[in-house]
Amino acid sequence: MIKKDLEQELKWQALLEKLEKIVGKRPADLKSVLFLIGVQELGKGIKEFSKEEKRDLMHIAICKVLSFSGFYELEGLDETGWPHWRIKKKLPHFDVLEQEKLLKMHVIEYFESEINFL
């Protein structure tokens, strides 16, 4: 593991520990953290979400965090208050490990810059 990867992993573990203290349960994986970001970005509080809404929340989170690299931009909110994103530039082809690294990097950035959490 190179130094940059190790630093990211240490930040990731610190984020999971902080989220565990707040949520009361350690997020199981990246998808769990993305779900929390989606709920935060939706701004409607904690409630029961349908399977489709959960999928949409994940999409909101992915668009939000990838907006830090300019891949997406917020288009606006629909009539029910759900955010919609527009692709600004095509994502490069990454393998699964590279995709996860990119998402984790931006999730950490989200909690550092948007939430002042780390």
Side-chain angles (χ1 to χ4, degrees), residues 45-79:
I46 299 170
K47 68 175 200 108
E48 287 291 320
F49 293 101
S50 70
K51 186 175 182 177
E52 183 179 311
E53 287 173 327
K54 288 177 183 177
R55 187 195 68 230
D56 292 345
L57 288 167
M58 298 280 290
H59 177 72
I60 289 168
I62 289 169
C63 292
K64 174 63 181 180
V65 299
L66 291 178
S67 73
F68 293 129
S69 285
F71 291 110
Y72 288 91
E73 94 180 331
L74 183 61
E75 202 168 45
L77 303 177
D78 67 17
E79 62 281 349

Side-chain angles (χ1 to χ4, degrees), residues 21-41:
K21 289 177 183 169
I22 291 173
V23 178
K25 180 180 176 186
R26 186 179 181 93
D29 53 19
L30 176 59
K31 289 179 182 178
S32 301
V33 178
L34 288 169
F35 174 77
L36 293 173
I37 291 171
V39 172
Q40 175 70 26
E41 288 301 306

Side-chain angles (χ1 to χ4, degrees), residues 10-27 33 36 108 111-112 115-118:
L10 291 172
K11 283 186 174 185
W12 180 253
Q13 292 303 319
L15 172 62
L16 294 179
E17 287 174 22
K18 286 187 176 192
L19 288 172
E20 180 178 13
K21 289 177 183 169
I22 291 173
V23 178
K25 180 180 176 186
R26 186 179 181 93
V33 178
L36 293 173
I108 291 166
F111 281 99
E112 287 174 338
I115 309 293
N116 296 320
F117 192 62
L118 290 174

